[in-house]
Amino acid sequence: MKLTNIALLVAAVSCIGMTTVVEANSLKSARGMAVHSNGSEVIGTIFMNKYGYSPLTAVIDIPSNRHLSNVKVTVLGKDEKGIDISYDVANSELLHHSGIPVFGLYADFQNKVKIDWKEDGKNRSHTFNMRTGGVKFTPEAEARTSYMLGEVKVEASKKFKDRLYLVDGFGDGAQRSIVSHNNPQASGAGLWDRSPTLSIYDTNGDLRWYMDYQAFRDANHYRKTGYVMGLKQVGKDLVWGAGQAYHRMSLMGEHVYSRDLPGQYADFSHDIHHRPNGNMIIRVAKKDYINEVGDRVTTVRDHIIEVDPQGKVVHEWNLNKILDNTRDVTLLGLDMGAVCLNVDADHANQTASLEQLKNSPYGDLPGVGAGRNWAHVNSVTYDENDNSIILSLRHQSANIKIGKDNEVKWILSAREGWKGELAKKVLQPIDNKGRKIECTAKGKCPNPDEFDFTWTQHTAYIGKGSGKHNFNLFVLDNGDGRFNEQPIMPEDKYTRAVEYVIDQQNMTVKQIWQYGKERGYEFYSPVTSITEYYPDKDSNLVASMSTGLYAGKTIGKILEFEHGKDKPSVEIWVHGMAPGAPGYRATIVTPPFNQ
């Protein structure tokens, strides 16, 4: 017994003595069981995918007794043509992560990450090795690849070399939700569900980030299923909607919130817009809605709500009351093979009859009246100049501005089918000299290269230089149902980006730029896609995201132009994983760590 006590005492004294000679910041045992090396611990432990949802990120831990500043991160390109991703890190970000956020690693690769910093008055630098694993998407049975592959078609000019494109794609073969909408009479769009492939590509076409959505998604929970749409970068975070909820998460994978759609609203899809005051404009539908004939239905893509930062509804736009939900001229000319993402190649280039539109079942089907897909609003944005929303209504081939008083300000559309007061809000096309262009009621204009309307368009966003008088509108004109009819030859269809200037006082519209018509059917996207103006580089983003859909070889074609130029400064093709799996949209992201 005495010998044992002496041994314990010696051990204790030895431990006490050890702490007096070993530096405090190298007490490995305080971190538990781990493998350590001087090479990886130049600053601190490296945590790969620290927050669980972004596998191509990492955080380099900073011990509390060290004080770093002027931190710069550079993820080095992996070969001669590889693109460096480089950004400064604000001190507030170092405090928030208790370390250095690393973003933009390559998948399944031994990455080289150079960190420059200042410490104890000295400039220091070290290049770390960071190994990543393979991409975790669940391929579909007929998938050609395990994730979307990028291909450079136009090498980026120096001005655009550092661009990063976030692609919201479909093609993950994971389990569909077993949760559907709870109204069996009219399910609305509640059955829309598919796990997304959210990925970021650099201008070399390389994958540099993706979200492990399966780690976030729950096929058995209504709040965590649905098509991911409207994905945008808002400050440091990504914001999107899906099914019966909307979500916010940082690019590092920190989950900020998931919120149910409020009240009786349901079936988010397509778009969500973030205002400078923190409010959000969300495209939804309405549950338990009594329609014109007294039936209780779930409406389809025809309500817009504004919610404050706490999720409280502050305004509603009910398009069934504001517009004419019986206008059918566009619906009669739709290609039934692709009614947005309800893709059925067997019905390509076929149209529906008026009888079918009037008597189709309630739900997510083309038809007139509340409870059917008569409007199909696929984009929303907000004009802070006059507190109005701008909408793209695919199934009306119309772009419409509506005020907070729920009054229509103007309609950019062919005249056919608009009645009463709404007919007075249809804009008059003019040429560059201000002279009227006389187009037919169906929208056929004398010189389509000078002026044309948009047809089953996606996204109607605010363009460069918009003001209270002259409003610039930038639209992705998909081009299906042009002139509210189907062409004799399907290959005559084309998709274009188009920019208009609208004189909001004189109610005229002038076309000032377009791209895509010259590329013909090769650039045609029957559904999805986006255009957007970016002031940071004075550029137009154009993404035709479902080219080749009917051929089963979907390619998203992402281009960026200096504003007003006719040739792209960069063009990247993103190849779909599987047949019939298009990209939805693309958007530009920037590393948000210097704020």
Side-chain angles (χ1 to χ4, degrees):
M1 181 68 70
K2 290 182 180 179
L3 183 61
T4 303
N5 288 339
I6 291 171
L8 289 172
L9 180 61
V10 171
V13 171
S14 298
C15 288
I16 293 171
M18 184 181 294
T19 61
T20 64
V21 296
V22 178
E23 294 183 11
N25 65 353
S26 64
L27 289 176
K28 307 297 186 182
S29 61
R31 298 184 185 183
M33 183 177 176
V35 176
H36 306 284
S37 69
N38 291 332
S40 65
E41 292 267 334
V42 172
I43 296 175
T45 302
I46 299 173
F47 297 105
M48 304 298 292
N49 189 17
K50 179 176 180 178
Y51 302 106
Y53 297 125
S54 299
L56 303 186
T57 66
V59 173
I60 303 173
D61 180 52
I62 302 176
S64 60
N65 66 317
R66 297 184 64 175
H67 304 285
L68 280 61
S69 62
N70 295 35
V71 174
K72 183 175 183 178
V73 176
T74 303
V75 181
L76 300 175
K78 68 178 178 180
D79 51 35
E80 290 183 1
K81 289 189 176 182
I83 306 295
D84 292 350
I85 293 180
S86 188
Y87 53 88
D88 296 324
V89 182
N91 287 340
S92 59
E93 284 291 293
L94 300 179
L95 293 171
H96 175 71
H97 295 286
S98 296
I100 302 170
V102 177
F103 162 87
L105 300 170
Y106 293 95
D108 196 17
F109 187 70
Q110 184 78 303
N111 290 266
K112 301 290 185 182
V113 180
K114 183 173 180 285
I115 307 295
D116 297 291
W117 75 97
K118 190 171 185 178
E119 186 177 10
D120 298 328
K122 298 179 181 179
N123 293 322
R124 300 185 62 182
S125 180
H126 184 75
T127 299
F128 295 85
N129 293 316
M130 297 188 188
R131 179 77 200 186
T132 54
V135 180
K136 294 182 179 179
F137 296 141
T138 305
E140 290 189 356
E142 298 180 1
R144 294 178 291 269
T145 59
S146 58
Y147 62 94
M148 295 178 291
L149 300 180
E151 179 186 7
V152 178
K153 287 296 182 178
V154 175
E155 187 172 344
S157 66
K158 183 177 180 181
K159 180 177 179 179
F160 294 91
K161 201 76 173 177
D162 62 347
R163 279 302 204 204
L164 296 170
Y165 301 106
L166 171 58
V167 175
D168 180 354
F170 305 119
D172 193 321
Q175 176 192 357
R176 301 294 186 263
S177 171
I178 64 170
V179 181
S180 63
H181 201 281
N182 61 2
N183 186 341
Q185 180 185 357
S187 58
L191 298 179
W192 273 39
D193 178 57
R194 197 169 190 171
S195 189
T197 52
L198 309 180
S199 315
I200 292 177
Y201 297 84
D202 63 21
T203 53
N204 198 41
D206 289 321
L207 180 74
R208 304 301 293 271
W209 178 96
Y210 74 93
M211 185 185 296
D212 183 3
Y213 208 77
Q214 288 307 314
F216 173 77
R217 184 176 182 270
D218 184 351
N220 298 312
H221 196 296
Y222 72 93
R223 185 189 291 154
K224 290 194 173 184
T225 58
Y227 272 45
V228 170
M229 291 183 167
L231 191 68
K232 294 181 174 70
Q233 183 177 2
V234 178
K236 300 176 182 180
D237 301 331
L238 298 176
V239 174
W240 73 92
Q244 313 310 321
Y246 59 103
H247 311 271
R248 186 165 184 149
M249 182 183 292
S250 79
L251 280 164
M252 292 296 292
E254 301 164 277
H255 182 228
V256 181
Y257 64 68
S258 292
R259 291 177 179 164
D260 295 350
L261 295 178
Q264 290 295 99
Y265 300 105
D267 299 352
F268 168 88
S269 68
H270 288 83
D271 215 356
I272 186 169
H273 173 82
H274 197 276
R275 292 187 58 196
N277 66 0
N279 288 7
M280 285 190 287
I281 312 297
I282 307 176
R283 216 269 18 248
V284 292
K286 198 70 174 281
K287 293 192 296 184
D288 299 327
Y289 186 89
I290 307 301
N291 70 6
E292 300 83 359
V293 297
D295 290 338
R296 184 185 300 272
V297 300
T298 298
T299 72
V300 181
R301 303 189 182 91
D302 54 15
H303 280 65
I304 317 297
I305 55 174
E306 181 176 358
V307 300
D308 68 14
Q310 288 70 48
K312 179 182 177 181
V313 179
V314 297
H315 194 81
E316 175 195 79
W317 291 267
N318 176 2
L319 300 185
N320 292 285
K321 302 294 185 183
I322 298 171
L323 301 174
D324 178 7
N325 64 15
T326 67
R327 183 176 181 266
D328 55 24
V329 293
T330 297
L331 290 161
L332 290 169
L334 281 181
D335 183 345
M336 291 294 112
V339 182
C340 195
L341 291 179
N342 294 328
V343 177
D344 181 1
D346 292 339
H347 292 88
N349 306 308
Q350 299 179 21
T351 58
S353 68
L354 182 59
E355 190 68 18
Q356 288 173 317
L357 294 180
K358 289 182 177 179
N359 296 300
S360 66
Y362 291 128
D364 189 13
L365 295 170
V368 294
R372 302 184 182 93
N373 196 353
W374 67 272
H376 200 110
V377 175
N378 55 26
S379 79
V380 298
T381 193
Y382 197 89
D383 188 354
E384 299 289 338
N385 287 306
D386 61 3
N387 289 308
S388 299
I389 56 171
I390 299 94
L391 307 176
S392 163
L393 283 78
R394 182 182 192 267
H395 289 181
Q396 298 294 313
S397 284
N399 307 291
I400 302 177
K401 191 175 195 182
I402 306 172
K404 270 288 182 69
D405 57 3
N406 291 353
E407 292 294 323
V408 174
K409 292 183 178 291
W410 46 254
I411 299 172
L412 175 52
S413 168
R415 296 194 313 273
E416 185 180 21
W418 298 105
K419 303 172 186 175
E421 291 299 311
L422 291 175
K424 299 176 183 178
K425 303 299 176 71
V426 177
L427 296 169
Q428 170 63 52
I430 59 173
D431 63 17
N432 288 328
K433 296 182 178 179
R435 298 172 299 196
K436 289 185 178 180
I437 298 175
E438 298 298 339
C439 304
T440 69
K442 284 188 171 293
K444 294 184 178 181
C445 304
N447 181 3
D449 291 329
E450 180 181 49
F451 185 90
D452 195 4
F453 296 100
T454 64
W455 307 91
T456 60
Q457 70 288 322
H458 271 71
T459 67
Y461 289 153
I462 300 174
K464 179 182 179 180
S466 285
K468 292 184 178 180
H469 182 84
N470 288 327
F471 181 90
N472 283 52
L473 186 68
F474 195 25
V475 189
L476 192 286
D477 174 12
N478 286 83
D480 182 41
R482 198 171 294 277
F483 315 127
N484 292 322
E485 61 189 21
Q486 289 294 308
I488 296 175
M489 298 298 295
E491 292 77 14
D492 289 338
K493 298 179 182 182
Y494 58 87
T495 291
R496 64 184 185 133
V498 57
E499 188 172 4
Y500 301 100
V501 175
I502 296 169
D503 185 327
Q504 299 187 116
Q505 293 182 1
N506 295 317
M507 297 291 286
T508 60
V509 57
K510 176 173 59 177
Q511 180 177 304
I512 61 172
W513 184 84
Q514 68 171 338
Y515 178 86
K517 180 179 179 179
E518 64 273 33
R519 293 182 62 161
Y521 194 68
E522 167 262 322
F523 200 64
Y524 172 65
S525 280
V527 294
T528 71
S529 310
I530 188 173
T531 57
E532 196 163 10
Y533 173 72
Y534 284 85
D536 65 329
K537 293 185 186 290
D538 188 27
S539 64
N540 289 343
L541 174 71
V542 178
S544 189
M545 297 302 293
S546 59
T547 70
L549 181 63
Y550 294 142
K553 297 180 179 180
T554 311
I555 303 172
K557 299 178 179 179
I558 303 168
L559 300 80
E560 194 169 0
F561 299 77
E562 292 192 42
H563 184 264
K565 297 295 180 67
D566 294 327
K567 293 184 178 180
S569 294
V570 58
E571 180 171 349
I572 304 294
W573 288 13
V574 180
H575 296 262
M577 291 169 60
Y584 178 57
R585 290 184 183 173
T587 189
I588 293 168
V589 297
T590 56
F593 306 110
N594 63 348
Q595 302 174 17

